Amino acid sequence: GFDLLTFGEALVSLRSAGPLATGGALTMHLAGAESNVAIGLARLGHRTAWAGRVSDDELGRYVLRQLRAEGVDVDHVTRDPERPAGLMFLERRTADLTRVGYHRAGSAGSALHVDDLRPALAAGTRILHLTGITPALSETAREASRWAAETASRAGALVCLDVNHRARLWSRDDARAVLSPLAGYASVLVASADELDLVGEAGADEATVVAGLLDRGVETVLVKLGGDGARAYTRDGVRHAPALPVTAVDTVGAGDAFTAGYLSGHLDGLDLAGRLRRAVTLGAFAVAGHGDWEALPRRDELSLLDDLQPG
Ligand code: KDG
Protein backbone atom coordinates (compact mmCIF):
# COMPACT_ATOMS: atom_id res chain seq x y z
CA GLY A 1 0.00 0.00 0.00
CA PHE A 2 0.86 3.67 -0.21
CA ASP A 3 1.60 6.18 2.53
CA LEU A 4 -0.38 8.75 0.61
CA LEU A 5 -2.64 8.58 -2.42
CA THR A 6 -3.91 11.73 -4.05
CA PHE A 7 -5.85 12.33 -7.26
CA GLY A 8 -7.05 15.20 -9.40
CA GLU A 9 -6.05 17.05 -12.53
CA ALA A 10 -2.41 17.69 -13.27
CA LEU A 11 -2.02 20.69 -15.55
CA VAL A 12 0.68 21.80 -17.92
CA SER A 13 1.50 25.30 -16.75
CA LEU A 14 3.00 27.79 -19.17
CA ARG A 15 4.71 30.64 -17.37
CA SER A 16 5.53 33.99 -18.91
CA ALA A 17 8.13 36.46 -17.67
CA GLY A 18 5.95 39.43 -18.68
CA PRO A 19 2.49 40.32 -20.03
CA LEU A 20 1.02 37.52 -22.17
CA ALA A 21 -0.45 40.01 -24.63
CA THR A 22 3.05 41.00 -25.73
CA GLY A 23 4.25 37.43 -26.15
CA GLY A 24 7.77 36.22 -25.56
CA ALA A 25 9.11 33.03 -24.08
CA LEU A 26 6.99 30.65 -22.03
CA THR A 27 8.42 27.97 -19.80
CA MET A 28 6.66 24.66 -19.25
CA HIS A 29 5.97 23.27 -15.79
CA LEU A 30 3.85 20.67 -14.09
CA ALA A 31 1.08 22.19 -11.96
CA GLY A 32 -1.87 20.94 -9.98
CA ALA A 33 -2.54 21.19 -6.28
CA GLU A 34 -2.68 17.40 -5.79
CA SER A 35 0.45 16.63 -7.79
CA ASN A 36 2.21 19.39 -5.81
CA VAL A 37 1.27 17.61 -2.58
CA ALA A 38 2.38 14.26 -4.01
CA ILE A 39 5.79 15.66 -4.94
CA GLY A 40 6.18 17.28 -1.51
CA LEU A 41 5.68 13.93 0.20
CA ALA A 42 7.72 11.90 -2.29
CA ARG A 43 10.70 14.23 -1.82
CA LEU A 44 10.55 13.44 1.89
CA GLY A 45 10.71 9.73 1.16
CA HIS A 46 7.06 8.74 1.66
CA ARG A 47 5.51 6.17 -0.67
CA THR A 48 3.23 8.42 -2.66
CA ALA A 49 0.88 7.84 -5.57
CA TRP A 50 -1.03 10.19 -7.83
CA ALA A 51 -4.07 9.04 -9.82
CA GLY A 52 -6.04 10.78 -12.55
CA ARG A 53 -6.47 10.98 -16.30
CA VAL A 54 -3.84 12.41 -18.58
CA SER A 55 -3.94 13.06 -22.32
CA ASP A 56 -2.41 10.29 -24.41
CA ASP A 57 0.03 12.59 -26.18
CA GLU A 58 3.30 14.45 -25.60
CA LEU A 59 1.80 16.64 -22.86
CA GLY A 60 0.44 13.64 -21.00
CA ARG A 61 3.84 11.98 -21.32
CA TYR A 62 5.43 15.14 -19.91
CA VAL A 63 3.15 15.06 -16.85
CA LEU A 64 3.95 11.40 -16.17
CA ARG A 65 7.66 11.93 -16.71
CA GLN A 66 7.78 14.79 -14.20
CA LEU A 67 5.88 12.83 -11.58
CA ARG A 68 8.01 9.71 -12.09
CA ALA A 69 11.18 11.77 -11.90
CA GLU A 70 10.03 13.01 -8.50
CA GLY A 71 9.40 9.48 -7.28
CA VAL A 72 5.60 9.62 -7.41
CA ASP A 73 3.90 6.35 -8.34
CA VAL A 74 1.81 6.77 -11.52
CA ASP A 75 0.98 3.12 -12.12
CA HIS A 76 -2.75 3.78 -11.73
CA VAL A 77 -3.03 6.76 -14.06
CA THR A 78 -5.49 6.46 -16.96
CA ARG A 79 -4.46 7.69 -20.41
CA ASP A 80 -7.28 9.35 -22.31
CA PRO A 81 -6.91 9.02 -26.09
CA GLU A 82 -9.70 11.48 -26.86
CA ARG A 83 -9.24 14.50 -24.65
CA PRO A 84 -6.48 17.10 -24.50
CA ALA A 85 -4.25 18.08 -21.58
CA GLY A 86 -5.49 20.82 -19.29
CA LEU A 87 -3.38 23.95 -19.63
CA MET A 88 -2.79 26.85 -17.32
CA PHE A 89 -1.15 30.14 -18.22
CA LEU A 90 0.66 31.83 -15.38
CA GLU A 91 1.21 35.38 -16.51
CA ARG A 92 3.73 37.49 -14.64
CA ARG A 93 1.82 40.72 -15.31
CA THR A 94 3.87 42.87 -12.93
CA ALA A 95 6.52 42.03 -10.35
CA ASP A 96 3.80 41.61 -7.70
CA LEU A 97 0.89 40.42 -9.81
CA THR A 98 0.50 37.05 -11.49
CA ARG A 99 -2.64 36.20 -13.41
CA VAL A 100 -3.90 32.67 -13.95
CA GLY A 101 -5.80 31.56 -17.06
CA TYR A 102 -7.16 28.05 -17.46
CA HIS A 103 -7.72 26.07 -20.64
CA ARG A 104 -9.08 22.96 -18.98
CA ALA A 105 -12.77 22.63 -19.92
CA GLY A 106 -13.24 19.21 -21.55
CA SER A 107 -9.70 18.14 -20.66
CA ALA A 108 -8.60 14.57 -19.96
CA GLY A 109 -8.17 15.37 -16.29
CA SER A 110 -11.66 16.79 -15.92
CA ALA A 111 -13.18 13.55 -17.27
CA LEU A 112 -12.03 11.73 -14.12
CA HIS A 113 -14.41 8.88 -13.27
CA VAL A 114 -14.84 6.57 -10.28
CA ASP A 115 -13.42 3.70 -12.36
CA ASP A 116 -10.14 5.61 -12.74
CA LEU A 117 -9.67 5.53 -8.96
CA ARG A 118 -10.69 1.95 -8.13
CA PRO A 119 -7.29 0.29 -8.74
CA ALA A 120 -5.32 2.91 -6.78
CA LEU A 121 -7.69 2.74 -3.81
CA ALA A 122 -7.70 -1.06 -3.90
CA ALA A 123 -3.92 -0.95 -3.41
CA GLY A 124 -4.53 0.59 0.03
CA THR A 125 -3.24 3.83 1.52
CA ARG A 126 -2.64 5.35 4.94
CA ILE A 127 -3.75 8.79 3.78
CA LEU A 128 -6.12 9.86 1.02
CA HIS A 129 -5.65 13.49 0.02
CA LEU A 130 -8.13 15.34 -2.15
CA THR A 131 -8.93 18.94 -2.96
CA GLY A 132 -12.03 20.99 -3.62
CA ILE A 133 -10.71 21.62 -7.13
CA THR A 134 -11.49 18.13 -8.47
CA PRO A 135 -15.25 18.17 -7.68
CA ALA A 136 -15.49 21.45 -9.60
CA LEU A 137 -14.22 19.88 -12.82
CA SER A 138 -17.21 17.74 -13.89
CA GLU A 139 -20.12 15.63 -12.60
CA THR A 140 -18.06 12.46 -12.90
CA ALA A 141 -15.08 14.02 -11.12
CA ARG A 142 -17.43 15.15 -8.35
CA GLU A 143 -18.81 11.65 -7.90
CA ALA A 144 -15.27 10.20 -8.03
CA SER A 145 -14.20 12.56 -5.25
CA ARG A 146 -17.13 11.66 -3.03
CA TRP A 147 -16.70 7.94 -3.70
CA ALA A 148 -12.97 8.01 -2.97
CA ALA A 149 -13.42 9.96 0.27
CA GLU A 150 -16.13 7.61 1.46
CA THR A 151 -14.30 4.43 0.44
CA ALA A 152 -10.99 5.49 2.01
CA SER A 153 -12.56 6.64 5.26
CA ARG A 154 -14.48 3.34 5.53
CA ALA A 155 -11.21 1.49 4.98
CA GLY A 156 -9.69 3.38 7.90
CA ALA A 157 -7.46 5.78 5.94
CA LEU A 158 -6.95 9.32 7.15
CA VAL A 159 -8.83 11.52 4.66
CA CYS A 160 -7.47 15.03 4.15
CA LEU A 161 -9.61 17.55 2.25
CA ASP A 162 -7.94 20.78 1.18
CA VAL A 163 -10.71 23.20 0.20
CA ASN A 164 -8.68 25.11 -2.43
CA HIS A 165 -11.57 27.20 -3.74
CA ARG A 166 -11.06 28.12 -7.40
CA ALA A 167 -13.42 30.98 -8.21
CA ARG A 168 -12.76 30.53 -11.96
CA LEU A 169 -14.36 27.09 -11.79
CA TRP A 170 -17.52 27.63 -9.75
CA SER A 171 -19.36 30.02 -7.46
CA ARG A 172 -19.03 29.99 -3.68
CA ASP A 173 -22.61 28.73 -3.34
CA ASP A 174 -22.04 25.85 -5.76
CA ALA A 175 -18.78 25.01 -4.02
CA ARG A 176 -20.41 25.04 -0.57
CA ALA A 177 -23.22 22.70 -1.67
CA VAL A 178 -20.63 20.08 -2.69
CA LEU A 179 -17.72 20.67 -0.31
CA SER A 180 -19.71 20.92 2.88
CA PRO A 181 -21.00 17.32 2.65
CA LEU A 182 -17.58 16.16 1.42
CA ALA A 183 -15.97 17.58 4.57
CA GLY A 184 -17.96 15.03 6.58
CA TYR A 185 -15.57 12.30 5.34
CA ALA A 186 -12.43 14.21 6.33
CA SER A 187 -10.26 13.70 9.42
CA VAL A 188 -8.08 16.66 8.44
CA LEU A 189 -9.58 19.72 6.81
CA VAL A 190 -7.36 22.43 5.34
CA ALA A 191 -8.68 25.84 4.29
CA SER A 192 -7.54 29.42 4.12
CA ALA A 193 -9.49 31.78 6.36
CA ASP A 194 -11.61 33.09 3.47
CA GLU A 195 -12.54 29.55 2.37
CA LEU A 196 -13.81 28.31 5.71
CA ASP A 197 -17.47 29.14 5.19
CA LEU A 198 -17.45 26.87 2.11
CA VAL A 199 -17.56 23.94 4.54
CA GLY A 200 -20.15 25.51 6.84
CA GLU A 201 -22.98 28.04 6.68
CA ALA A 202 -22.53 30.96 4.28
CA GLY A 203 -21.00 33.91 6.11
CA ALA A 204 -20.43 31.94 9.35
CA ASP A 205 -17.37 33.00 11.36
CA GLU A 206 -14.31 30.84 11.97
CA ALA A 207 -15.30 29.64 15.45
CA THR A 208 -18.75 28.55 14.27
CA VAL A 209 -17.52 26.70 11.20
CA VAL A 210 -14.75 24.98 13.16
CA ALA A 211 -17.15 23.91 15.93
CA GLY A 212 -19.47 22.46 13.29
CA LEU A 213 -16.65 20.53 11.62
CA LEU A 214 -15.35 19.09 14.91
CA ASP A 215 -18.94 18.07 15.74
CA ARG A 216 -19.17 16.24 12.42
CA GLY A 217 -16.09 14.19 13.21
CA VAL A 218 -13.28 16.20 11.62
CA GLU A 219 -10.30 15.77 13.97
CA THR A 220 -8.08 18.64 12.89
CA VAL A 221 -9.01 21.88 11.13
CA LEU A 222 -6.04 23.77 9.71
CA VAL A 223 -6.64 27.41 8.83
CA LYS A 224 -3.93 28.82 6.56
CA LEU A 225 -3.06 32.46 7.21
CA GLY A 226 -0.39 33.04 4.57
CA GLY A 227 2.42 35.19 5.97
CA ASP A 228 0.84 34.91 9.41
CA GLY A 229 1.26 31.13 9.56
CA ALA A 230 -1.66 28.90 10.48
CA ARG A 231 -4.07 27.95 13.22
CA ALA A 232 -4.82 24.31 14.08
CA TYR A 233 -8.03 23.41 15.85
CA THR A 234 -8.69 20.09 17.56
CA ARG A 235 -11.06 19.07 20.35
CA ASP A 236 -8.25 20.06 22.73
CA GLY A 237 -8.25 23.68 21.58
CA VAL A 238 -6.39 25.88 19.16
CA ARG A 239 -2.69 26.31 18.42
CA HIS A 240 -1.05 28.98 16.27
CA ALA A 241 2.09 28.36 14.22
CA PRO A 242 3.86 31.45 12.87
CA ALA A 243 5.22 31.43 9.32
CA LEU A 244 9.00 31.39 8.88
CA PRO A 245 10.47 34.79 7.96
CA VAL A 246 11.70 34.02 4.43
CA THR A 247 11.71 36.28 1.38
CA ALA A 248 8.62 35.35 -0.61
CA VAL A 249 9.27 35.29 -4.36
CA ASP A 250 6.41 33.05 -5.54
CA THR A 251 3.43 32.12 -3.36
CA VAL A 252 1.79 29.70 -5.83
CA GLY A 253 1.91 26.22 -4.35
CA ALA A 254 2.56 27.39 -0.78
CA GLY A 255 -0.72 26.01 0.49
CA ASP A 256 -0.02 22.63 -1.12
CA ALA A 257 3.44 22.59 0.47
CA PHE A 258 1.90 23.39 3.86
CA THR A 259 -0.51 20.46 3.51
CA ALA A 260 2.28 18.13 2.35
CA GLY A 261 4.39 19.10 5.37
CA TYR A 262 1.53 18.51 7.78
CA LEU A 263 0.76 15.08 6.31
CA SER A 264 4.44 14.12 6.27
CA GLY A 265 4.57 14.94 9.98
CA HIS A 266 1.54 12.75 10.51
CA LEU A 267 3.17 9.84 8.67
CA ASP A 268 6.29 10.29 10.81
CA GLY A 269 4.20 10.17 13.99
CA LEU A 270 4.96 13.75 15.06
CA ASP A 271 2.75 15.52 17.59
CA LEU A 272 0.61 18.48 16.53
CA ALA A 273 3.38 21.00 17.18
CA GLY A 274 5.81 18.95 15.10
CA ARG A 275 3.33 18.51 12.26
CA LEU A 276 2.68 22.26 12.17
CA ARG A 277 6.39 23.00 12.23
CA ARG A 278 6.94 20.78 9.21
CA ALA A 279 3.91 22.35 7.51
CA VAL A 280 5.20 25.94 7.88
CA THR A 281 8.70 24.77 6.93
CA LEU A 282 7.49 23.34 3.61
CA GLY A 283 5.37 26.44 3.06
CA ALA A 284 8.48 28.58 3.58
CA PHE A 285 10.49 26.55 1.05
CA ALA A 286 7.66 26.92 -1.46
CA VAL A 287 7.32 30.72 -1.19
CA ALA A 288 11.06 31.35 -1.05
CA GLY A 289 11.68 29.61 -4.40
CA HIS A 290 10.19 29.83 -7.87
CA GLY A 291 7.67 27.30 -9.19
CA ASP A 292 4.76 25.44 -7.61
CA TRP A 293 6.91 22.63 -6.19
CA GLU A 294 10.43 22.87 -7.59
CA ALA A 295 11.87 24.44 -4.42
CA LEU A 296 10.45 21.85 -2.00
CA PRO A 297 13.03 20.16 0.23
CA ARG A 298 14.36 16.64 0.20
CA ARG A 299 14.49 15.05 3.64
CA ASP A 300 18.17 15.92 4.10
CA GLU A 301 17.30 19.57 3.39
CA LEU A 302 14.47 19.85 5.92
CA SER A 303 16.72 21.45 8.52
CA LEU A 304 18.08 24.13 6.16
CA LEU A 305 15.66 26.72 7.53
CA ASP A 306 16.02 25.66 11.17
CA ASP A 307 17.77 28.89 12.14
CA LEU A 308 14.55 30.66 11.20
CA GLN A 309 12.41 28.45 13.43
CA PRO A 310 11.00 30.17 16.49
CA GLY A 311 11.94 28.24 19.63
O1 KDG B 1 -2.16 25.25 -5.66
C1 KDG B 1 -1.51 25.56 -6.85
C2 KDG B 1 -2.50 25.28 -7.92
O2 KDG B 1 -3.41 26.32 -8.00
C3 KDG B 1 -1.93 25.12 -9.27
O3 KDG B 1 -0.88 24.21 -9.29
C4 KDG B 1 -2.96 24.79 -10.30
O4 KDG B 1 -4.22 22.99 -9.41
C5 KDG B 1 -4.20 24.10 -9.87
C6 KDG B 1 -5.45 24.81 -10.02
O5 KDG B 1 -6.43 24.14 -10.32
O6 KDG B 1 -5.51 26.01 -9.84
Side-chain angles (χ1 to χ4, degrees):
F2 304 115
D3 291 329
L4 178 132
L5 167 66
T6 184
F7 64 89
E9 179 170 31
L11 298 161
V12 173
S13 145
L14 300 169
R15 288 184 170 235
S16 74
L20 272 181
T22 52
L26 296 171
T27 56
M28 183 166 160
H29 305 265
L30 172 69
E34 304 83 10
S35 49
N36 293 343
V37 168
I39 290 170
L41 281 136
R43 283 210 178 168
L44 295 176
H46 303 288
R47 281 167 305 148
T48 307
W50 179 85
R53 292 177 84 86
V54 300
S55 55
D56 193 13
D57 61 5
E58 296 309 307
L59 295 180
R61 272 187 271 285
Y62 167 76
V63 166
L64 295 180
R65 186 175 199 272
Q66 291 294 82
L67 287 169
R68 267 194 214 104
E70 291 296 332
V72 175
D73 184 299
V74 290
D75 283 358
H76 300 298
V77 172
T78 307
R79 290 166 195 256
D80 187 323
E82 267 144 37
R83 298 180 183 83
L87 302 181
M88 176 172 124
F89 286 90
L90 210 64
E91 176 191 25
R92 174 69 62 173
R93 184 62 186 79
T94 71
D96 304 307
L97 175 70
T98 39
R99 287 199 293 206
V100 173
Y102 291 134
H103 293 251
R104 68 198 295 183
S107 66
S110 65
L112 182 76
H113 186 277
V114 169
D115 291 339
D116 298 321
L117 300 181
R118 286 184 205 280
L121 267 152
T125 187
R126 289 175 65 192
I127 299 178
L128 179 79
H129 167 268
L130 73 164
T131 77
I133 301 171
T134 313
L137 299 178
S138 66
E139 283 295 333
T140 59
R142 185 170 309 171
E143 174 52 17
S145 300
R146 198 205 55 76
W147 176 84
E150 183 186 19
T151 304
S153 79
R154 279 221 188 117
L158 177 140
V159 174
C160 172
L161 171 64
D162 190 340
V163 171
N164 265 324
H165 181 58
R166 294 292 180 267
R168 302 281 170 81
L169 298 178
W170 54 357
S171 71
R172 293 184 72 88
D173 287 341
D174 288 348
R176 186 178 302 104
V178 171
L179 299 183
S180 199
L182 197 57
Y185 297 110
S187 319
V188 175
L189 185 118
V190 188
S192 51
D194 63 348
E195 292 172 338
L196 258 188
D197 83 332
L198 300 178
V199 283
E201 295 291 316
D205 63 15
E206 184 165 315
T208 307
V209 176
V210 169
L213 289 168
L214 296 176
D215 269 355
R216 289 163 67 199
V218 178
E219 282 160 23
T220 313
V221 181
L222 299 169
V223 182
K224 296 177 292 181
L225 306 169
D228 291 327
R231 276 190 286 275
Y233 293 90
T234 65
R235 266 168 220 105
D236 298 331
V238 59
R239 175 186 281 272
H240 175 251
L244 303 190
V246 291
T247 303
V249 298
D250 178 358
T251 56
V252 181
D256 308 328
F258 176 90
T259 300
Y262 182 87
L263 296 175
S264 165
H266 174 87
L267 287 166
D268 284 355
L270 304 185
D271 63 9
L272 182 61
R275 299 196 292 266
L276 285 172
R277 177 177 286 233
R278 188 164 298 171
V280 296
T281 300
L282 258 68
F285 272 101
V287 301
H290 291 282
D292 274 30
W293 51 267
E294 285 84 339
L296 295 180
R298 298 183 310 266
R299 189 164 282 262
D300 62 302
E301 294 174 321
L302 262 182
S303 61
L304 281 177
L305 302 180
D306 270 1
D307 290 348
L308 302 174
Q309 297 274 6

